[in-house]
Amino acid sequence: MPDLERRFTIRANDFVNAGEVSLEIQSILKHIGFNPALIRRISVCAYESEMNVVMHGGDGEALLKVSPNSVTLVFTDQGKGIKDIELAFKPGYSTANLKHREMGFGAGMGLPNIKESADSIEIHSEEGHGTTLNIGFELEGDFG
Ligand SMILES: Nc1ncnc2c1ncn2[C@@H]1O[C@H](COP(=O)(O)OP(=O)(O)O)[C@@H](O)[C@H]1O
Ligand SMILES: [Mg+2]
């Protein structure tokens, strides 16, 4: 049984509220008292994943699970999915459109940064059926 489990809704193309879910996750982790370095790694993953759902995915949700030995983030969306996952993880690869780029997105570093910051990631995606990204962090005395 996880100590804590929280679900958040994410809306496609909602750039007004984009980023709010990651901020709330960050605030929960601070409240629990994890160390700043771990909170930073988790927040990077949460923000990049949330923005990917908003920009590239579809309506979806984030799930935060905190257990004695791990923190898990699961981002699920019902969007168009990813055709070539290996390509999507290539640094610099992005299908961001002009509107996204004008807002400063589209560096193609989100997925590579998630991979770098997490202890484990698992991605499932099918073209036309959405994407699930499971991101894990191991806890080893990460409080304070
Ligand atoms: N949830 C998603 N649904 C569909 N495609 C996605 C999703 N997340 C990422 N992608 C694809 O992977 C690419 C790379 O993502 P990322 O590394 O975060 O770079 P960026 O967001 O800057 O484009 C995106 O441009 C997009 O084509
Ligand atoms: Mg991205």
Side-chain angles (χ1 to χ4, degrees), residues 47-49 51-53 55-56 93-94 105-112 114:
Y47 180 70
E48 294 293 352
S49 304
M51 292 315 300
N52 279 353
V53 172
M55 274 195 293
H56 312 296
Y93 175 81
S94 177
F105 300 109
M109 290 307 295
L111 290 175
I114 292 168

Side-chain angles (χ1 to χ4, degrees), residues 30-105:
K30 277 186 186 162
H31 191 255
I32 292 172
F34 288 124
N35 73 50
L38 177 69
I39 292 176
R40 185 164 176 75
R41 285 168 58 215
I42 300 174
S43 299
V44 165
C45 292
Y47 180 70
E48 294 293 352
S49 304
E50 180 184 2
M51 292 315 300
N52 279 353
V53 172
V54 172
M55 274 195 293
H56 312 296
D59 288 342
E61 63 166 42
L63 173 65
L64 167 69
K65 278 194 278 189
V66 181
S67 300
N69 300 317
S70 65
V71 174
T72 309
L73 294 173
V74 186
F75 286 83
T76 309
D77 71 69
Q78 286 82 48
K80 58 183 180 300
I82 302 174
K83 193 174 11 183
D84 186 338
I85 290 176
E86 206 184 313
L87 182 62
F89 273 87
K90 275 222 168 95
Y93 175 81
S94 177
T95 58
N97 63 29
L98 185 61
K99 185 183 129 193
H100 298 147
R101 289 172 195 276
E102 279 171 355
M103 287 187 283
F105 300 109

